[in-house]
Amino acid sequence: MAVRDILKMGDTRLLRVAQPVQAFGTSQITDLLNDLIDTMEAANGAGLAAPQIGVDLQVVVFGSDAINPRYPDAPLVPFTVLCNPVITPVRDEEEDGWEGCLSVPGMRGVVPRYKCIRYQGFDEQGRSIDRTVEGFHARVVQHECDHLIGKLYPMRVRDFAKFGFTEVLFPGMEVGEDD
Ligand code: NI
């Protein structure tokens, strides 16, 4: 469909609690998904949430079926469309990891996330999704779903000594690896 502009931190539309999807399998959802996927792929992102393109709905896409050039060492996460998600930590255990965000370009920060979560929700057709995952997969889901409650990863940073510009933190990283 179309590559859309990605809203950047400071835009109040990123701070809303998104509305649940009420009807699945509609042309509205199909159009939204096509835009999310096109936009995520154009930006080489690991995930994208509807609020990041200004759409106030609980829809995220994440994962990749191929190695992402930006995260060549990241384990594969199955490409997933997730609507109306509910996340439940399986254990209290947290894990620190570096994150970036297409809405916070050029920066990285260390964010604590639950190591193991169960997530439930629906795909674009309303079919139920129920997975228990850990590590990078769990991190991506928590990051994307945070966008649906108005949270950007810098709001989760605890140690601001580990938050900064990618080019300064990781001088070897290629220009253009922007989130
Ligand atoms: Ni993000």
Side-chain angles (χ1 to χ4, degrees), residues 1-2 4 26-36 53:
M1 288 285 290
R4 304 266 294 261
T26 63
S27 58
Q28 182 201 20
I29 295 296
T30 304
D31 291 350
L32 169 60
L33 273 181
N34 286 331
D35 284 1
L36 281 172
I53 58 169

Side-chain angles (χ1 to χ4, degrees), residues 52 101 143 147:
Q52 292 180 276
C101 180
H143 176 114
H147 281 294

Side-chain angles (χ1 to χ4, degrees), residues 47 52 100-103 143-144 147 152-153:
Q52 292 180 276
C101 180
L102 295 171
S103 294
H143 176 114
E144 294 312 324
H147 281 294
L152 298 166
Y153 83 81

Side-chain angles (χ1 to χ4, degrees), residues 38-56:
D38 287 351
T39 306
M40 181 176 88
E41 287 180 349
N44 277 327
L48 192 66
Q52 292 180 276
I53 58 169
V55 175
D56 188 25

Side-chain angles (χ1 to χ4, degrees), residues 158-178:
R158 290 183 189 151
D159 178 1
F160 282 90
K162 293 175 182 157
F163 176 59
F165 292 96
T166 311
E167 64 193 30
V168 179
L169 289 163
F170 303 105
M173 200 174 266
E174 278 177 43
V175 175
E177 296 195 1
D178 210 17

